[in-house]
Amino acid sequence: MALAVLALRTRAGALLSPPMATPLAVRCASKKTGGSSKNLGGKSPGKHFGIKKMEGHYVHAGNILGTQRHFRWHPGAHVGLGKRKYLYALEEGIVHYTKDVYVPNPSDLEAMDLVTKLPKGAVLYKTFVHVVPTKPEGTFKLVAML
């Protein structure tokens, strides 16, 4: 009987007492928390698009007349178009702006689709930049050396 009581005690003791704790490796942070940074956008510098020379300004050949991301101004007489859609003067003279009626090429389906979606009687205009050349007075051209 003593054996039965001893067996019950050891079983009850094993069920009631927690198991032996084994040592675990605990990891600690190597850096302190710094928080997260959000809303970082919008801190890029401005691109400085726009008109650089106004109506009536005198420009030399090569002067930049305007910079643009999308076509807002179109090259006219004596005005060139750069790689990134910037306008520059091909000759020296006075800058003039005109608005002309836009008539798309019939073979350009995208442009014709745009025009057909407009209300009846609506007209599209485009702004063109021109340079009117000025000949400097009092100069001559050397024809031959004597």
Side-chain angles (χ1 to χ4, degrees), residues 13 20-21 26 34-35 37 58 69 83 88-89 93 99 110 123 126:
M20 293 290 289
V26 177
S37 57
Y58 184 81
R69 179 170 285 144
K83 278 187 192 176
Y88 61 94
K99 280 195 179 258
E110 191 173 332
V123 180
K126 283 189 176 182

Side-chain angles (χ1 to χ4, degrees), residues 25 52 62-63 75 103 105 128 133 140 146:
K52 308 299 182 211
N63 280 16
V103 180
N105 189 356
F128 289 89
F140 63 93
L146 296 175

Side-chain angles (χ1 to χ4, degrees), residues 12 23 29-30 42-43 65 72 77 79 95 97 111 114 116-117 123 126-128 134 137 145:
S30 61
K43 292 184 178 179
L65 305 176
R72 186 169 177 184
V79 175
V95 178
Y97 292 90
L114 171 75
T116 54
K117 288 182 180 177
V123 180
K126 283 189 176 182
T127 304
F128 289 89
T134 57
E137 294 182 24
M145 285 286 284

